Amino acid sequence: MEITEKKIEDLEQSRVRMTLTIPSRDVRAEYDAMMNEYAKNARIDGFRKGHVPVFVLERKFGDSLKTEAMGRVIEKAVEEGLKDATRQPLTYEPPAVEGEPQFNLDSDFTFSVTYDAYPAFELPSLEGIEIEVPAVSVSDEDIARELEEIRQRNAIVVEKDGPAETGDIVTADFAEIAEDGTEIPGTARKDFAFELGKQLNIYKFDDEIVGLKAGDEKTFTKTFPADFEYSEYAGKTVTIKVKVTKIKRQDLPELDDELAQDVSEKYKTLEDLKAAVRNQLNEALEARLRSTKENAIVDELLKRTSVSIPRSMLAAELAMRWESLKQQMGVDNDERLEMLLRISGKTKDQLLQDWAPLAEKALASRILLDKLVEAGSYTATDEDVDAEIAKEAAHTTMSPAEIKAEYEKRGTLEYLKDDIKVRKLFDAILASAQVKEGTAVSYLDFMKENQ
């Protein structure tokens, strides 16, 4: 199909308008070809198959034939028009016809389609970048806290006869009680186990349980603040009946050489364990600092250019995040997840709206880095891949060969290569960037803020 005139316009949000003009002879030819096709296959009373006159079809089906012919012309013209277009449509949705084009069989036909295209933007300069990261280091207090967690993980849990104390593992039955003393349907829980003092139950009734023994029952009233984390109870007063069915205490091991040997055969003394803990925390800190630097660099680069994310690309990203949330929550359908959201005072639309700015920034960052990697011709060699896999193996019980086989099985080796290329890009930027040390921050606060 011939196109006598083509015009390409860039619109907002990386959307493109393509306007095409098709000569009248091609419009008529497409219509005639369609009518001949119908005439050969149409079944109409009074005519043999293949012998239905075109004028009969036109009289019977009228303007619907012109509408179909227009659709065929548009489809073929768009396909032809896109062959040499520098900005192709994204796969998320097909090009859409704009407005209501005027279609006449014996006139040139002009129409426009719009579609989302991959963002086009100027690559930012990588020179003169200044970033700031907090001053943070691993302290003796951080080591002590990690060792205490190791003690907790190696604790022995035993039955307890006495009253419940903070730190005990309590198992309880509970339910909300109505004014007439009856149990409110749907609120009962059986054999709910939680560590006393950590507020890991929906009603936060740890303080009310302290001092109870196994077999004790207690009914009490709680009034929740207006900003309570579970919105269905915010500002409300409820009466709760609790029966403690079991209490266990944790026997913590001594912080000594024996504990170190229990943790791993690699450690012979407590000092060996402490050294390993310090090394692990320092590695985690270095990784988080590196991530902080990279995020700061991306923020600076995004200020130096404009990556306009197409609407359909953002919608696809949000849909993917929604599906990921379903998997995390163990939910297999939208209705169930939306019900859980309503309990926390949210709707799906509100959640997607909340996600949108971060999702848009994540897409812009990804696209920007891809283009910079391409412009810098960064590569990931087989040696680079093997070295990266060897580092992973050092922190697991798997061999490098087993890890590589797993990558190949899942088809994710290319993702690893992409990560290596991006890291090389950041290495090059950091080599010339000015990194300033900011305000001092504790290890714990820094790690929590950057999770």
Side-chain angles (χ1 to χ4, degrees), residues 1-5 19-28 30 73-74 76-78 80-81 103-104 107-111:
M1 179 170 290
E2 182 184 358
I3 297 174
T4 55
E5 186 178 348
T19 302
L20 304 173
T21 298
I22 311 303
S24 59
R25 63 178 178 277
D26 285 3
V27 171
R28 171 57 73 174
E30 188 64 34
V73 170
I74 289 174
K76 290 183 178 181
V78 168
E80 184 66 27
F103 184 77
N104 296 303
S107 301
D108 292 350
F109 177 47
T110 299
F111 68 96

Side-chain angles (χ1 to χ4, degrees), residues 110-129:
T110 299
F111 68 96
S112 298
V113 293
T114 57
Y115 57 86
D116 285 343
Y118 196 80
F121 55 94
E122 292 290 332
L123 288 180
S125 168
L126 304 182
E127 301 300 321
I129 291 177

Side-chain angles (χ1 to χ4, degrees), residues 3 16 58 83 130 143 210 271 289 313 329-330 410 429:
I3 297 174
V16 174
E58 290 177 327
K83 283 182 179 178
E130 295 183 8
I143 304 296
V210 171
E271 290 306 312
L289 283 170
M313 181 184 285
M329 300 291 289
R410 296 180 179 178
I429 296 174

Side-chain angles (χ1 to χ4, degrees), residues 283-310:
E283 284 186 358
L285 175 58
E286 286 304 313
R288 191 59 56 82
L289 283 170
R290 170 68 182 224
S291 177
T292 301
K293 292 174 185 177
E294 291 178 355
N295 290 337
I297 287 171
V298 170
D299 287 344
E300 175 60 26
L301 293 177
L302 286 174
K303 292 176 184 176
R304 299 183 177 194
T305 188
S306 177
V307 184
S308 183
I309 301 302

Side-chain angles (χ1 to χ4, degrees), residues 149-184:
E149 290 183 7
I150 291 174
R151 287 183 71 208
Q152 295 283 345
R153 291 196 294 269
N154 285 271
I156 299 173
V157 179
V158 296
E159 294 280 353
K160 178 177 177 179
D161 293 329
E165 301 173 283
T166 298
D168 289 343
I169 307 298
V170 174
T171 302
D173 301 336
F174 58 85
E176 292 181 34
I177 303 300
E179 290 184 3
D180 61 3
T182 60
E183 181 180 296
I184 297 176

Side-chain angles (χ1 to χ4, degrees), residues 403-421:
I403 292 178
K404 189 170 186 177
E406 191 66 23
Y407 271 113
E408 291 171 342
K409 177 183 175 182
R410 296 180 179 178
T412 54
L413 205 54
E414 287 302 315
Y415 293 113
L416 178 60
K417 291 180 179 179
D418 289 341
D419 288 342
I420 292 171
K421 295 174 189 177

Side-chain angles (χ1 to χ4, degrees), residues 242-304:
V242 179
K243 179 179 181 180
V244 176
T245 58
K246 193 180 299 181
I247 302 173
K248 294 181 179 181
R249 63 178 172 82
Q250 300 183 78
D251 276 350
L252 296 174
E254 292 296 323
L255 198 59
D256 54 20
D257 294 347
E258 185 177 347
L259 173 60
Q261 293 163 15
D262 287 341
V263 171
S264 172
E265 60 183 16
K266 295 185 296 184
Y267 312 130
K268 301 303 181 187
T269 67
L270 178 60
E271 290 306 312
D272 292 340
L273 177 59
K274 287 182 178 179
V277 166
R278 182 178 294 276
N279 186 56
Q280 290 166 5
L281 294 184
N282 275 317
E283 284 186 358
L285 175 58
E286 286 304 313
R288 191 59 56 82
L289 283 170
R290 170 68 182 224
S291 177
T292 301
K293 292 174 185 177
E294 291 178 355
N295 290 337
I297 287 171
V298 170
D299 287 344
E300 175 60 26
L301 293 177
L302 286 174
K303 292 176 184 176
R304 299 183 177 194

